[in-house]
Amino acid sequence: MQKQTENEALIAAAREAAAHSYAPYSNFAVGAALRFADGSVVTGTNIENASYGLALCAETVAVAKAMAEGRRGGLTAVAVTGPGTDPITPCGRCRQVLNELAQLGRTDPAILCVGPQEIRTTTLSRLLPNAFGPASLD
Ligand code: THU
């Protein structure tokens, strides 16, 4: 698949995931989709809680799903969609959670921040420079 087609598919997967968002407190539905080197895609969406501070972000849910399936690296791209007019970037905690999976496979995934009009593309290392990760414990 061409990179552009792959990215369109990843964005569509993130949007579909956001349809399952459980966000009754913020009404802010976020979708995330992770692409792996083998072409597979794992999605996540935000899951809130009546104890507000326990909300799980979409990206963190996606990483947890992927790691629970046994993945330990190979993360090549991440798409994140939000409901607003501007693209959203992963929160600080999600950057760190994504970094764990990325560092395990020594990749620097592209991060596609998807808004209704605009897609801002960056990399995890730009969003989280000088990251602390598994290699830091060696
Ligand atoms: N949220 C995410 O899912 N990902 C982010 O990177 C930023 C914030 C969620 C958490 C909460 O459910 C809602 O968006 C509003 O903060």
Side-chain angles (χ1 to χ4, degrees):
M1 226 193 286
Q2 293 284 314
K3 182 134 280 174
Q4 199 189 328
T5 318
E6 275 182 1
N7 286 349
E8 282 165 9
L10 196 68
I11 290 165
R15 287 205 173 106
E16 278 168 35
H20 299 295
S21 167
Y22 176 69
Y25 309 107
S26 70
N27 284 313
F28 196 86
V30 181
L34 314 180
R35 187 170 66 227
F36 290 85
D38 63 3
S40 59
V41 170
V42 176
T43 61
T45 188
N46 53 329
I47 310 289
E48 297 186 345
N49 191 281
S51 178
Y52 299 162
L54 301 184
L56 300 174
C57 289
E59 303 91 318
T60 290
V61 168
V63 170
K65 279 175 68 184
M67 294 191 75
E69 289 173 3
R71 288 165 208 277
R72 296 290 186 270
L75 182 62
T76 57
V78 179
V80 186
T81 65
T85 49
D86 284 325
I88 61 161
T89 57
C91 80
R93 183 175 188 270
C94 287
R95 294 176 195 200
Q96 184 68 28
V97 169
L98 288 164
N99 179 69
E100 187 79 15
L101 184 53
Q103 268 202 13
L104 287 174
R106 295 187 165 73
T107 59
D108 182 13
I111 311 287
L112 282 58
C113 306
V114 183
Q117 324 281 357
E118 191 195 345
I119 300 166
R120 286 186 202 145
T121 304
T122 183
T123 60
L124 185 58
S125 67
R126 267 187 243 140
L127 292 179
L128 191 68
N130 307 119
F132 179 86
S136 311
L137 297 174
D138 289 345

